[in-house]
Every structure is written in C-alpha cells, then in structure tokens.
Amino acid sequence: MAPAIAPADLGFFSTLASAGSLSAAARELGITTPAVSKHLALMESRIGVPLVNRTTRRMSLTPEGELYLERARLILGEIEGMAQMLGASKATPQGLLRVNATLGFGRSHVAPLISRFARKYPQVEVQLQLSVNPPAPTEDLFDVCVRFGAPPDSRLIARHIAPNRRLLCAAPAYLARRGTPKVPSDLARHNCIGIRQGEEAYGVWRLASGRGRSARTEAVKTRGSLSTNDGEIAVNWALDGHGILMRAEWDIERYLRTGRLVQVLPQYFTPDADIYAVYPQQHQMAARVRAFVDFLVLSFTQQAAAKG
C-alpha cells in the first residue's frame, strides 16, 4: 500500500504553491500541465482531503493545503540542513538570494552592503526588492527580509543586526523660528512632519520618561502641513526647516553630527526600532542565507565600532 505522503510530494507541492498556478509549476518542474494536475490529484486522493482550490484563472490553497505547505517546507529545510551538517553540501554559497528591505534604509544601507557581498560571493545571484510597505515575511516571497523590530511570528527566525532608536529632530532654523519643545505636549503646537508607513498609528507619537516601574508613556497626537510615505523625503523636509520629525537614528545620524538637524526632547525615550534579519526557519541552513546574514551582522557591527 502506497504511503499517504511520499517524500517527492513535499518538493512538488512547495514548488506548486510558490508558482501560483498549475501551468507556472509545470514550467518550473519541466513537465506538462496535465502531469502537474495528475500528480496533485493523486496526492489529494491518498491524503483524503483537497489541498488546492482550482478556478479557471487562479488557484489557492485550502486550510489543509496551507498546513501541508508549512510542514513540507519545514521538513525540506531540515533535510537540507542535515545534508549540510553531514558534509554533503560544503560548497561556496551559490544560487538565488531574494532580499527585501524598506525603501529608504534599503537604498542607503542594505544596497551598498550587497555590492560588497556580491564581490565576496560571486556565485550568489542577489535580487533586492525595496518596499514602502514590506510584505509579511511569512508570505515566503523572500529569503531574507531586513526589518525594524522583531516579528512576533514564531515560525520566523529574527537575527538581531544592530540597535537603532527613533529620535525626534528638527533643523536649527525651524527651532529658532518656532521655539524648542520642553515637554511632549508642546509638540501639539508645532508643525510635525508625518510619515505614513506600515501599520503604526499615523500621527501618534509615543514618548516615555523614566525607567522600570516609574516609566510613563505619553501619546501625543501630532499635526502638520506635510506628510509622505517616503522617509528620505521627510528627512529632506526637516532639513529644509519645515518642522519636527521622528526618524530612525540610522537615517539621521550624519545630520545630527554635522548640526544640520538637532535632537528634540532628548530626555524622553521613543520606541526602539532595532534592525533584524528575518527569514523562515526552513531557509536557515541554506549556505547563501547564512553567509548573507553573517555578512550583515559583521558589517553593521564594524560600522557601529567605527562610529564609537
């Protein structure tokens, strides 16, 4: 009697799910579309539940298909990891590496590091996609996602790359003209530059004072005449003296050093935005992923040491 789940089914179904359609999977696997359909039908027959909802234009996974895919990719990742640990795959990192990062940070910091990484590992083909609103890492569209803040999803591995704070800042000319806030409530009387990104509440800035049990957080509803979904544009507006901005330290530190921007309310703490490399568990043993994440950690550590 044939087993309900055959080892070959795992890779087949992972490819099918990533391809998004029977015809695309057929091209990926180098077989015909009817052959893909037949293989899928045999899998569903053996298991006894449908794995895919089929329509004339698209396909989607059933709840059982989602569970099957999650477990299949975990098993495939464990197999790859076991092979590497047994010495079956000690080659130089190679193959396609899909990287995602936020637009401004990716352009300023991740892209230059990829340029250096590509020189060190010429057999790795890197695809970098920058997003204003990055997709959830659980969608498995990328091998590594560079993110601010650790994800809550336990199915993901989050490797801490570098500490990072959000700071309030403004140009000296703006503060000379409008005055310097002394307490968080003063922000309500200032022009605050808004950034519409991610799922954070727009226009609400949270500032904390004290530590431990004495910590107190105040939420301030800000207003301003300028807003954007691009952090670099917002920084440029702050440099031009249009208002007060909350931005990650990595994006504004060079302007703080030169005095083009001045930190506002430095005695208050704003939410941390530590930088993480996030990737699915099944990718952790891939040589190209390990090499890239290790390269990121080392590079950011060296940069932080040089600044210190």
Side-chain angles (χ1 to χ4, degrees), residues 161-235:
I161 293 178
N164 186 42
R165 299 177 298 161
R166 291 185 176 97
L167 304 177
L168 297 182
C169 63
Y174 172 84
L175 297 175
R177 186 172 70 252
R178 296 287 299 271
T180 300
K182 303 299 182 183
V183 293
S185 59
D186 290 346
L187 293 170
R189 298 190 294 272
H190 279 267
N191 197 48
C192 296
I193 299 171
I195 302 179
R196 300 175 181 269
Q197 288 182 340
E199 299 178 355
E200 296 182 5
Y202 171 73
V204 177
W205 290 356
R206 302 185 185 279
L207 293 91
S209 59
R211 291 290 192 181
R213 293 183 178 181
S214 62
R216 177 176 174 269
T217 300
E218 185 174 349
V220 180
K221 179 64 177 177
T222 61
R223 300 176 58 186
S225 58
L226 296 175
S227 66
T228 178
N229 65 349
D230 188 295
E232 186 174 342
I233 291 174
V235 171

Side-chain angles (χ1 to χ4, degrees), residues 146-162:
V146 181
R147 293 285 184 270
F148 294 102
D153 198 308
S154 61
R155 293 171 295 175
L156 300 170
I157 296 175
R159 178 95 174 266
H160 188 267
I161 293 178

Side-chain angles (χ1 to χ4, degrees), residues 243-259:
I244 297 175
L245 173 69
M246 179 186 286
R247 194 63 185 158
E249 185 176 15
W250 280 87
D251 289 333
I252 60 173
E253 59 180 349
R254 61 188 183 276
Y255 302 120
L256 294 174
R257 286 199 306 268
T258 61

